[in-house]
């Protein structure tokens, strides 16, 4: 048991990321000209300093500094930093709302001329029940207060900051499903007086399947290079249901010509994706024309075509156009 617990503890991964950055905080900066006086003044009240409200990502926030640690969480000897959302920002919405944000805290170091940056990589949910998130142990007070380390400079000056990266609401999504069971998966089409047909192409009535309208297109004399030699048949999406840009519809079916005697039907499997560029699929060389009067035309010169659907995909989606001024949503990878 002891070895298992040790192994579990050794595999834990820290979610705290620390690094140096030259670029200053983009959401808010708090510069203090005499940190020791701040320590004294906060010790006489609630042991914290709250910044003015600042607006970022469409919401109002405060940066909160505990110069000697957040005693409410039993923390002593560390600089504690938090961000709090203004509850009035949440009251703009009628339904219970959660605002998700990534927080990066900054402490300027004059010696390095860079910002010590620390964050918990988890995205934090702000709500009426939880308006404040932050880090209890940003820097040890001994480290911070020693001027040799560069955080306190020029007679007690220092700078804190934060980036509040608000995650936008999910507006771009896609759900792909495959329907396999249909009440009536077959569609039959009878072409009468087949041998007398003059038109190059015959089209069936449209029929619904898998949430789309379809038509069968038959070339009695053959299409393109198959003209005069082959029967050509295609399954096409109806004009009212042609795929939109970037839309894909998968179809698995069996398309066949029926023998009027009830046996030896001729069929091909159809398995393909329909797109805006390819709204119709089938075979130019489906069946030799010479075979039709021998086997597949009935006594009344009628040809019967049938398709049975196995699978049709459906995609539900929602997309919004990208705002070129919108900042990228980035999440850092924690260090081990």
């Amino acid at each position: 048991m002891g070895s298992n617990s040790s192994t579990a503890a050794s595999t834990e991964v820290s979610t705290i990321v620390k690094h140096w950055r030259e670029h200053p905080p983009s959401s808010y900066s708090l510069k203090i000209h005499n940190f020791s006086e701040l320590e004294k003044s906060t010790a006489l009240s609630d042991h914290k300093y709250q910044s003015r409200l600042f607006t970022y990502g469409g919401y109002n926030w405060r940066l909160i500094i505990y110069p000697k640690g957040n005693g409410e969480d039993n923390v002593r000897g560390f600089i504690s930093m938090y961000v709090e959302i203004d509850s009035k920002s949440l009251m703009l919405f009628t339904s219970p709302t959660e605002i998700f944000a990534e927080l990066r805290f900054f402490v300027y170091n004059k010696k390095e001329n860079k910002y010590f940056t620390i964050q918990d990589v988890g995205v934090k949910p702000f709500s009426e029940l939880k308006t404040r998130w932050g880090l209890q142990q940003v820097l040890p007070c001994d480290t911070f207060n020693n001027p040799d380390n560069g955080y306190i400079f020029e007679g007690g000056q220092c700078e804190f900051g934060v980036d509040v990266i608000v995650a936008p609401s999910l507006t771009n999504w896609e759900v792909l499903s495959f329907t396999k069971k249909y009440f009536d998966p077959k569609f039959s089409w009878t072409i009468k007086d087949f041998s007398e047909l003059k038109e190059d192409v015959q089209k069936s009535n449209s029929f619904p399947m898998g949430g789309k309208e379809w038509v069968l297109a038959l070339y009695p004399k053959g299409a393109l290079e198959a003209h005069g030699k082959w029967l050509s048949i295609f399954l096409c999406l109806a004009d009212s249901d042609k795929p939109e840009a970037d839309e894909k519809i998968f179809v698995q079916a069996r398309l066949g010509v029926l023998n009027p005697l009830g046996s030896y039907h001729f069929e091909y499997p159809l398995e393909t994706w329909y797109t805006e560029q390819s709204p119709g699929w089938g075979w130019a060389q489906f069946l030799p024309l010479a075979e039709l009067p021998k086997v597949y035309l009935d006594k009344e010169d009628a040809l019967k075509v049938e398709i049975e659907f196995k699978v049709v995909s459906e995609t539900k989606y929602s997309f919004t156009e990208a705002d070129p001024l919108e900042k990228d949503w980035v999440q850092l990878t924690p260090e081990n």
Side-chain angles (χ1 to χ4, degrees), residues 38-334:
L38 176 70
E39 287 182 303
K40 293 177 184 179
S41 63
T42 55
L44 298 174
S45 56
D46 53 4
H47 302 280
K48 65 185 178 185
Y49 180 80
Q50 299 184 90
S51 75
R52 291 174 176 270
L53 286 174
F54 62 92
T55 301
Y56 208 83
Y59 305 95
N60 295 328
W61 312 84
R62 291 186 192 275
L63 176 62
I64 302 174
I65 308 294
Y66 288 83
K68 294 185 177 181
N70 182 4
E72 298 172 7
D73 291 341
N74 297 318
V75 177
R76 295 287 187 273
F78 285 87
I79 303 288
S80 302
M81 298 179 67
Y82 298 83
V83 166
E84 184 176 68
I85 191 170
D86 182 19
S87 59
K88 293 180 181 179
S89 293
L90 298 171
M91 293 173 62
L92 297 174
F93 304 91
T94 56
S95 59
T97 303
E98 280 190 324
I99 307 301
F100 294 90
E102 180 183 343
L103 306 176
R104 300 174 187 163
F105 295 98
F106 297 80
V107 184
Y108 180 66
N109 188 296
K110 180 75 171 181
K111 183 178 180 180
E112 299 289 339
N113 194 25
K114 293 180 181 180
Y115 289 85
F116 170 73
T117 305
I118 181 171
Q119 73 175 112
D120 185 340
V121 296
V123 180
K124 307 305 180 185
F126 289 82
S127 67
E128 292 183 0
L129 298 178
K130 181 70 173 178
T131 59
R132 188 174 73 170
W133 288 93
L135 294 174
Q136 299 175 349
Q137 300 180 7
V138 174
L139 280 171
C141 290
D142 291 345
T143 300
F144 179 83
N145 288 315
N146 187 342
D148 293 338
N149 293 326
Y151 296 105
I152 297 289
F153 53 90
E154 297 177 7
Q157 295 187 42
C158 60
E159 180 185 355
F160 300 95
V162 67
D163 280 353
V164 181
I165 307 168
V166 178
S169 301
L170 178 63
T171 56
N172 299 328
W173 53 264
E174 181 175 337
V175 179
L176 174 65
S177 60
F178 295 87
T179 303
K180 292 185 176 182
K181 295 183 179 180
Y182 300 96
F183 176 74
D184 185 4
K186 295 182 179 180
F187 173 76
S188 298
W189 177 32
T190 300
I191 302 98
K192 298 180 179 179
D193 301 320
F194 182 85
S195 301
E196 304 300 323
L197 294 175
K198 304 298 183 183
E199 296 85 355
D200 290 335
V201 60
Q202 298 288 316
K203 291 187 177 181
S204 70
N205 294 329
S206 63
F207 59 93
M209 195 67 64
K212 296 289 185 180
E213 291 288 325
W214 305 85
V215 294
L216 289 174
L218 180 144
Y219 292 77
K221 305 300 182 184
L224 303 175
E225 70 278 359
H227 185 77
K229 297 180 180 179
W230 295 84
L231 176 70
S232 304
I233 307 179
F234 300 87
L235 172 66
C236 307
L237 281 155
D239 290 340
S240 59
D241 261 339
K242 290 293 176 63
E244 299 178 0
D246 216 23
E247 183 181 8
K248 298 181 289 291
I249 304 161
F250 178 75
V251 173
Q252 182 182 21
R254 298 192 70 85
L255 181 59
V257 172
L258 303 187
N259 185 317
L261 299 179
S263 60
Y264 300 108
H265 304 312
F266 189 87
E267 61 183 19
Y268 274 126
L270 176 68
E271 293 180 311
T272 191
W273 288 90
Y274 285 74
T275 65
E276 181 184 27
Q277 293 76 26
S278 303
W281 282 91
W283 294 266
Q285 299 180 7
F286 188 85
L287 189 63
L289 293 176
E291 295 291 321
L292 297 182
K294 298 178 183 178
V295 182
Y296 299 103
L297 294 179
D298 64 16
K299 296 180 179 180
E300 297 179 353
D301 195 29
L303 182 72
K304 189 172 184 180
V305 177
E306 185 175 271
I307 184 168
E308 181 178 3
F309 287 82
K310 303 293 185 182
V311 176
V312 179
S313 72
E314 180 181 8
T315 304
K316 297 180 180 179
Y317 63 93
S318 174
F319 294 107
T320 56
E321 292 186 5
D323 183 351
L325 299 180
E326 189 175 82
K327 293 197 173 192
D328 292 335
W329 169 250
V330 180
Q331 183 160 326
L332 297 179
T333 302

